[in-house]
Amino acid sequence: MAKNLLIVESPAKAKTIEKILGKDFEVKSCYGHIRDLEKGEMGIDIKNHYKPRYIVPDEKERVVKELKQLAKKSDEVWLATDEDREGEAISWHLCEVLGLDPTSTKRIVFHEITKPAIQKAVSQPRTVNMNLVNAQQARRVLDRIVGFELSPVLWRKMSMGTSLSAGRVQSVAVRLIAEREREINAFKSISHFRIDAFFSAKDLSDKQVLFKAEGQKFNNQEGAEKFLESCKGASYTVTDIQVRPGKKSPAAPFTTSTLQQEASRKLGYSVSKTMLLAQKLYESGNITYMRTDSVNLSETAMDGIRQQVTGQYGQRYFQPRKFKNKNESAQEAHEAIRPTYMENSTVDDMDTKRLYELIWKRTMASQMADAELEKTTAKITISTNKEELTATGEVLKFDGFLKVYREDRDEEDLNEDDSADSMLPPLQVKQQLPLKEMTATERFNRAAPRYTEASLVKKLEELGIGRPSTYAPTITTILKRGYVEKRDKEGVRRDFRILKLVNDQLKKEMSQETTGAEKAKLFPTDLGLVVTDFLNQYFNDVMDYGFTAKIEEEFDEVASGKRQWHKMIDAFYNPFKKDVDNTIENAERIKGERELGTDPESGRKVVARMGRYGPMVQIGDAAEEEKPRFARLKSGQSIETISYEEAMDLFKLPLTIGEFEGLEVSVNVGRFGPYVKWGDEFVSIPKGEDALSVDMDRAIELINGKKQADAPIATYEGEPVTKGKGRFGPFIKWNNLFINIPKAYNFDQLTQADCEELIRKKLEKEANRYIQQWPAEKISLENGRWGPFIRFGKKMLKMGRKADGTKYEEEALSTISLDEIKKMIEAEIPGAFEKASKKSPR
């Protein structure tokens, strides 16, 4: 038995560190947090200085039990969780659960998993930093208070059940996306005309080359046309040439947010994928700690970079630099994200290879020489109107850091003048230039682009909202809650005008371009917009960007020991609680309603609004004698922007279009998109096709395609086996049982034996799945991976415990009453059965 037990957060990290420390240490993982706040009554004692009530979750009991046994057998326990506040809190929780004294237990930190770093940390242990622990507790407690107080307000004021939630950072992030969407919807595009003149001159090899000079912009066609007319018969003379040296400097090495941004731009990774891969690289000892807002590099790193740059490119390419962080609150980490060994320019692991190489290149480039440029600007005068044209060219004299890396920019940082400068041929003052063509091209100004995950992180960081560890979970939460969706938007065709002056003849042309296409952008849902408006109206402090950033600064003050955490929470909670109580008492229900017009047939009002099951259009009112009619909005439509015509089109569905093989054929739009209904069969209409555009010929084509796809591929116990592809991947269907196909099977060539094996396995699994079922109540007791759980509708809830706090044995669960199970459900979802007898509002 090793004398020392060292506890880290992840098993991958444990393996790497155990190899470094050798036989004196046994390294074990606690798999992240081992305690969490109780769910019941918020898990916080509001009246006792907001004291948290922590419990060990069921899924962590086995880990805790194992760590307790190992701790008893070890001479000494060491804690080596991550170096940020979250890691410090995990170390403190380990002390509490394992019975260790936080004032004497050895705590070590390091920001890279290398032999020197680990050995240095072991030689210089410290104890748990309670200021950092309290800062983490303050964040956790305040966010729990906001979530637990605000979410029930939404439940009571909006007909969406208990699926709604609000949060201190998540709600502010949704507000940013909502405001950008409304800015885009309100934007009116204005056109202008840009003048470009194309000349020819001889280059250094005596060949005629074409180059461009730019003129002024005109607000309308008349001004542009008048200018081109005034250039008829003109001569063009070079009147001034200026050659200026220039330079470009490299970007700082990566922080968490800049890594997320650049991995999105260059590799197309989501924020969560970037962090998942970076975690893997860190735990395998390839990069330094990946949650950091520092741009510093250690002396060891600088030495490694110098050796690589000078060795690969020569001394001229090396230029040591120290970067200053624009983020004033950056303080938690010691270093930027960098490779642990600069001599490793790549890694073997295919999953992390591209991200590692991006980090390596960025780190190398940060300590390399400026790129040296020569920029030439030539002024060309028009004889007839004395106006000037400007031609610019850029020559790269020394590539410097560009030899390794060039930083990308976000869409919103680009404009139409950002076209790369090309080289100019040699020009001389007084040189006459022959004009090939002069154009005035209509261009349109653009609204600010929608946020990508990465540009949202950039904005949150600029506003001081959140910290490196919070960006990824915030985005995951708002997507999961349905307040925001990540999707593509197809572009639309737009006409634009071109005026051309060629050989003193003015021509007018029309051309087309695709505009407005977007990929993987964040769009607020109608639910997100409605909830944001409500929170803005009644909780403007919580939704205020400056207030949210101020809270982050207060957490930092707690972390540095300048502020007591419970006093900070107290200053927030008292006015916040008054707002909550006042809103519950006085606020109207959330309608999210927009009147569109009147139904020509009935004369009843047509409104777009949020219903219980999402955005919809309604004809009529519940108070009227005749029941209202409802239609669900299609994907991409919004209650804020849908037109009256688009809304009335929705009531054309379902639309019967004919009969095929004795069965009625109709088209409609459902939860998963447009479809053809043929008898009792549903046939999906491909993405991009409108249900109303499907005629009978197209419907028959889709039906025949479905019939072919649904043809049996095998039989089992006399029943046919069919296959298909659904939301969760490929499957086979037998006797109304859907069975997902693992990757080990060739879906395209499934055999009779494959189908039999898959069905047998599924039936065995299903036989062991249910302990008890109450189908009428939509309640069941099921065996899960981590033990028994309650399924209530689509929700999966934890099993409650006996009165003495112990777990139920399997035998007891097989006879437990429905009333007992309902009590457990009520404990987790207050009011779950209150409206069971009432008709649910739409």
Side-chain angles (χ1 to χ4, degrees), residues 685-804:
I685 295 172
K687 191 177 178 182
E689 273 190 67
D690 187 0
L692 289 171
S693 71
V694 175
D695 59 16
M696 197 59 197
D697 288 342
R698 177 61 175 144
I700 291 170
E701 184 185 341
L702 292 169
I703 291 165
N704 285 331
K706 178 83 160 53
K707 284 165 74 176
Q708 190 175 344
D710 286 352
I713 59 166
T715 59
Y716 187 81
E717 294 183 354
E719 295 286 337
V721 180
T722 59
K723 70 175 186 177
K725 288 186 180 178
R727 287 170 69 207
F728 306 110
F731 64 85
I732 59 171
K733 182 183 176 186
W734 172 79
N735 203 19
N736 287 326
L737 195 65
F738 291 87
I739 303 155
N740 290 332
I741 309 300
K743 288 182 180 177
Y745 292 83
N746 185 339
F747 177 69
D748 295 323
Q749 296 178 12
L750 287 172
T751 65
Q752 173 75 28
D754 289 338
C755 294
E756 289 175 2
E757 185 178 26
L758 286 162
I759 294 168
R760 270 199 310 271
K761 286 180 180 175
K762 180 72 173 178
L763 290 172
E764 286 170 14
K765 187 177 177 184
E766 289 292 304
N768 297 322
R769 176 178 168 184
Y770 294 104
I771 301 168
Q772 281 201 75
Q773 283 180 280
W774 297 275
E777 303 279 351
K778 294 184 179 176
I779 297 172
S780 61
L781 282 185
E782 299 181 23
N783 283 308
R785 187 178 177 189
W786 307 109
F789 68 91
I790 303 168
R791 189 181 294 276
F792 177 49
K794 292 184 179 178
K795 290 186 170 66
M796 296 166 67
L797 310 176
K798 289 179 183 176
M799 278 297 308
R801 297 192 175 224
K802 293 180 183 177
D804 61 4

Side-chain angles (χ1 to χ4, degrees), residues 112-267:
E112 63 183 35
I113 303 176
T114 60
K115 192 169 186 175
I118 301 297
Q119 288 176 339
K120 184 180 178 183
V122 169
S123 69
Q124 298 175 351
R126 60 169 175 82
T127 55
V128 174
N129 183 332
M130 286 308 296
N131 289 332
L132 294 182
V133 172
N134 289 334
Q136 188 274 344
Q137 282 201 114
R139 179 189 289 280
R140 187 77 182 92
V141 166
L142 191 142
D143 287 348
R144 172 60 73 92
I145 287 171
V146 172
F148 264 64
E149 293 279 9
L150 274 190
S151 299
V153 175
L154 295 176
W155 303 343
R156 292 178 68 164
K157 298 298 178 181
M158 193 169 183
S159 302
M160 295 290 290
T162 57
S163 60
L164 299 174
S165 75
R168 185 182 59 86
V169 177
Q170 74 173 55
S171 297
V172 173
V174 176
R175 180 187 172 186
L176 279 169
I177 295 164
E179 286 181 346
R180 177 62 58 88
E181 188 70 20
R182 284 170 170 158
E183 188 184 327
I184 292 166
N185 291 337
F187 181 78
K188 302 292 181 194
S189 186
I190 301 168
S191 71
H192 61 269
F193 286 80
R194 191 184 71 199
I195 302 296
D196 291 316
F198 298 88
F199 299 99
S200 69
K202 288 185 177 180
D203 66 7
L204 292 169
S205 57
D206 211 33
K207 287 182 182 176
Q208 288 286 342
V209 293
L210 205 65
F211 68 94
K212 182 178 79 172
E214 294 180 3
Q216 60 181 301
K217 291 176 183 175
F218 292 91
N219 292 330
N220 52 50
Q221 183 176 336
E222 292 72 28
E225 197 171 334
K226 188 177 177 184
F227 176 79
L228 292 183
E229 288 282 359
S230 74
C231 293
K232 287 182 176 179
S235 59
Y236 301 87
T237 309
V238 179
T239 52
D240 183 47
I241 297 173
Q242 291 187 6
V243 180
R244 290 193 182 95
K247 68 175 185 177
K248 286 183 181 175
S249 298
F254 282 131
T255 61
T256 301
S257 69
T258 55
L259 176 64
Q260 289 168 352
Q261 290 162 47
E262 198 72 338
S264 172
R265 298 179 195 126
K266 277 187 154 63
L267 307 178

Side-chain angles (χ1 to χ4, degrees), residues 443-506:
R443 285 287 170 254
F444 298 83
N445 62 339
R446 297 180 303 173
R450 290 176 177 87
Y451 288 108
T452 60
E453 286 192 19
S455 63
L456 179 63
V457 166
K458 183 180 179 184
K459 187 67 177 177
L460 289 169
E461 188 180 41
E462 283 173 8
L463 293 170
I465 297 166
R467 289 294 181 261
S469 61
T470 65
Y471 302 135
T474 295
I475 290 172
T476 300
T477 299
I478 62 177
L479 288 167
K480 188 178 174 183
R481 293 291 184 190
Y483 294 145
V484 172
E485 57 187 8
K486 185 163 71 169
R487 58 181 168 88
D488 301 340
K489 181 175 178 284
E490 290 183 12
V492 293
R493 299 294 290 167
R494 176 172 66 188
D495 293 330
F496 68 94
R497 296 166 283 179
I498 306 173
L499 309 177
K500 287 185 178 180
L501 182 66
V502 184
N503 297 327
D504 284 343
Q505 296 294 313
L506 189 63

